């Protein structure tokens, strides 16, 4: 197996106006961006229409890699897992923040009710 190197950047704005995360590999630049059918897909910098890799949802989640990705699948999978983990962490923190906000709202309502009853 050959050694694969890649780097993942933060969100970038693409020429088509969409937001994406860029990964740079020995084969060039690729962009993970939201997709209306597949939720998330990876596109070549030269073709932002036809995905090379995409997420397929069913009873389980699958990552579908087109044959043209042979030879640089490791950085693709690593970048996907990194994005998925970041997404989970952001969702976790959002859920925690939402939960705390709901608890504070309930406490606030309880205090108002307590004061209005007294």
């Amino acid at each position: 197996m050959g050694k694969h190197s890649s780097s993942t950047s933060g969100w970038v704005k693409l020429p088509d106006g969409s937001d994406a995360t860029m990964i740079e590999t020995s084969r060039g630049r690729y962009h993970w961006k939201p997709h209306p059918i597949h939720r998330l897909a990876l596109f070549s910098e030269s073709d932002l229409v036809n995905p090379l890799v995409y997420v397929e949802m069913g009873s389980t989640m699958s990552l579908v890699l087109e044959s043209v990705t042979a030879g640089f699948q490791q950085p693709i999978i690593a970048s996907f897992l990194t994005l998925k983990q970041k997404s989970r962490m952001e969702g976790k923190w959002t859920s925690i923040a939402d939960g705390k906000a709901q608890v504070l709202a309930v406490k606030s309502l309880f205090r108002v009710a307590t004061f209005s009853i007294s």
Side-chain angles (χ1 to χ4, degrees):
M1 287 205 169
K3 185 176 180 179
H4 301 279
S5 66
S6 66
S7 63
T8 304
S9 75
W11 286 99
V12 295
K13 186 67 84 173
L14 297 176
D16 67 0
S18 60
D19 292 325
T21 298
M22 182 185 74
I23 65 168
E24 191 158 359
T25 73
S26 59
R27 299 258 181 118
R29 292 182 179 157
Y30 298 87
H31 301 280
W32 285 107
K33 68 177 193 170
H35 190 274
I37 297 170
H38 304 296
R39 288 190 175 178
L40 183 65
L42 182 72
F43 298 84
S44 158
E45 189 168 64
S46 62
D47 182 0
L48 297 173
V49 176
N50 300 302
L52 301 174
V53 178
Y54 55 90
V55 175
E56 197 170 81
M57 299 300 290
S59 58
T60 61
M61 182 179 67
S62 301
L63 189 62
V64 179
L65 294 94
E66 297 294 335
S67 60
V68 296
T69 64
F72 69 109
Q73 292 174 344
Q74 288 176 342
I76 290 171
I77 293 169
S79 66
F80 171 75
L81 293 173
T82 301
L83 287 173
K84 187 71 177 150
Q85 181 63 23
K86 283 181 182 178
S87 174
R88 283 187 179 156
M89 292 306 295
E90 287 171 4
K92 181 178 179 179
W93 289 115
T94 300
S95 295
I96 290 169
D98 288 347
K100 285 183 179 178
Q102 289 172 358
V103 168
L104 290 174
V106 169
K107 285 182 179 179
S108 178
L109 287 173
F110 181 70
R111 284 188 201 138
V112 171
T114 302
F115 291 125
S116 64
I117 293 171
S118 299

